[in-house]
Amino acid sequence: MSKIVWGAAAAVLTLWAVPAMARDVGGVACTSPPPARCVGEACATSGDLANLGNATDAKTGRKFWLDYPCDLKPGEKVVFVLNLHGAGSVGNWQRHYFPVADYKEKYRLVVATPTAATATPVRRWDGAADDAHLQNITTWVFDTFGQKNIKSFWLAGHSQGGLTSSRIVCTDFFKDKVDGWLSLSGGRVGQAPFVAQFGPPKADGSPPDPRPRPAIPASSGPACDFSHIFAVGEYEIESLPETSPLAERFGCGPRVRRKDIVDDKPGYVWDFQRAGYKVWGMKARPGTAREWAFDKCRDGRVVADVVRVDKGHTEGLEPHVTEELVKLMVSAKGGKAQAAAD
């Protein structure tokens, strides 16, 4: 995602109820609902989005967000999600764009949401600056919650965070740990091409100039196995492919259209200063999403696509579509981290 400017519109800050406290894990106090939450344009003025986190990578001193079930029991199995923001964004914006932590109790989730180090010309993930940090967080979560208790591990990333997830998922460190990749407008295995005028609007609000469409090289797919969910706004892509290289690899059945996901509430955030160009995104609104899944994949893998109707790149995910993505993740085969601990 290109640079998000937080805006200066005055708004009354909407806060959650006073959170209930629970015991600390790894020195991080747990609250439920999650801490540092804001809603809508209040996020632009409250300062909450600039908060870099409640946990610290001891090896680098960098802050990150950790959300986990406040009623977690010793030895309980959890699903770990490493949640990566897009270019121009920060970790707490990602916690609002994809508010997976809202479901940490219900689905027994541990969610780590870091912030990239490189901020010029925009904040973005860079291998040399960030890969060790992401590995440190993963190791810390495994050590703190018990690697044998990580029943599955997912990379989730929006935009350039999704591309970063794709880049690292089959690296030596992650390939025997990560069970799935959730791409939030961050590329698809079996590409769904972005529209020619993808990107933020110009300063006058007009669409960006069209970009030439690069040729898509032939590929046999990623070098390791993982479940894959692709979620995207309708206006971002030219079309959604009806096939998937991963579905073919895992021997899945034909693609099946599932029941639409209907939300009567909006997401938390959007690009407050540049909303209006529908490809980039409008103000967050309720909506409907269409879901397709390749059923009966071998070894319990999940391969699915979710298209949010009448949505663009930066509108935060609504509650029901967020929960459906969580359901898909927790339904998929896990166990890589547990096996690696043997």
Side-chain angles (χ1 to χ4, degrees):
M1 183 180 65
S2 293
K3 187 175 183 180
I4 294 294
V5 182
W6 304 124
V12 177
L13 179 61
T14 304
L15 295 175
W16 289 93
V18 177
M21 299 298 295
R23 64 185 180 87
D24 293 356
V25 171
V28 179
C30 187
T31 63
S32 189
R37 275 283 195 254
C38 55
V39 179
E41 289 176 311
C43 294
T45 56
S46 67
D48 281 331
L49 294 180
N51 189 329
L52 295 182
N54 57 357
T56 303
D57 172 2
K59 293 185 178 180
T60 65
R62 290 169 60 175
K63 304 288 286 186
F64 65 95
W65 280 102
L66 180 74
D67 296 289
Y68 62 91
C70 292
D71 58 349
L72 189 69
K73 300 175 180 62
E76 184 178 353
K77 304 300 186 286
V78 295
V79 174
F80 172 36
V81 182
L82 184 55
N83 194 16
L84 304 183
H85 65 75
S89 187
V90 292
N92 208 17
W93 197 90
Q94 178 68 10
R95 288 174 76 240
H96 289 74
Y97 173 83
F98 179 49
V100 61
D102 286 356
Y103 300 93
K104 61 190 178 71
E105 266 81 28
K106 185 174 182 179
Y107 295 99
R108 318 313 289 168
L109 308 175
V110 171
V111 187
T113 313
T115 296
T118 301
T120 303
V122 297
R123 192 170 297 280
R124 66 194 189 281
W125 297 104
D126 174 82
D130 297 306
D131 282 8
H133 179 49
L134 300 180
Q135 294 173 19
N136 293 344
I137 291 172
T138 300
T139 300
W140 185 88
V141 167
F142 282 12
D143 291 346
T144 300
F145 293 89
Q147 188 166 337
K148 280 290 190 180
N149 298 325
I150 307 297
K151 66 179 180 181
S152 70
F153 174 19
W154 278 75
L155 298 176
H158 176 227
S159 193
Q160 197 247 348
L163 296 174
T164 299
S165 300
S166 176
R167 178 179 63 79
I168 66 175
V169 65
C170 291
T171 57
D172 288 344
F173 180 86
F174 286 104
K175 66 183 180 183
D176 64 347
K177 301 177 180 67
V178 173
D179 299 292
W181 167 36
L182 168 61
S183 174
L184 303 163
S185 304
R188 180 183 188 270
V189 179
Q191 189 172 358
F194 284 106
V195 297
Q197 289 183 289
F198 176 81
K202 297 178 180 178
D204 63 1
S206 61
D209 294 329
R211 301 179 185 180
R213 309 311 301 164
I216 301 174
S219 172
S220 59
C224 64
D225 289 345
F226 51 85
S227 293
H228 179 47
I229 306 164
F230 176 63
V232 72
E234 176 186 18
Y235 298 133
E236 299 181 71
I237 57 172
E238 293 177 356
S239 61
L240 181 69
E242 296 182 2
T243 60
S244 163
L246 285 179
E248 295 173 6
R249 178 186 294 189
F250 300 141
C252 306
R255 188 177 75 152
V256 175
R257 173 78 179 268
R258 293 187 174 177
K259 185 179 179 180
D260 287 353
I261 308 158
V262 180
D263 274 279
D264 59 5
K265 295 180 180 179
Y268 292 111
V269 292
W270 61 94
D271 188 342
F272 303 115
Q273 284 199 334
R274 295 182 296 190
Y277 172 48
K278 66 180 185 180
V279 172
W280 190 244
M282 309 292 284
K283 180 178 179 178
R285 298 155 290 146
T288 298
R290 299 173 183 144
E291 179 182 349
W292 293 265
F294 297 86
D295 288 342
K296 299 179 180 179
C297 299
R298 187 170 54 248
D299 298 328
R301 301 289 183 187
V302 166
V303 181
D305 297 299
V306 175
V307 177
R308 299 166 67 210
V309 178
D310 191 31
K311 301 291 182 181
H313 191 60
T314 61
E315 294 150 274
L317 273 68
E318 302 82 16
H320 290 162
V321 72
T322 299
E323 184 171 13
E324 179 61 21
L325 294 173
V326 173
K327 288 180 180 178
L328 287 168
M329 287 192 290
V330 301
S331 73
K333 174 183 173 63
K336 279 190 180 180
Q338 292 170 326
D342 291 335

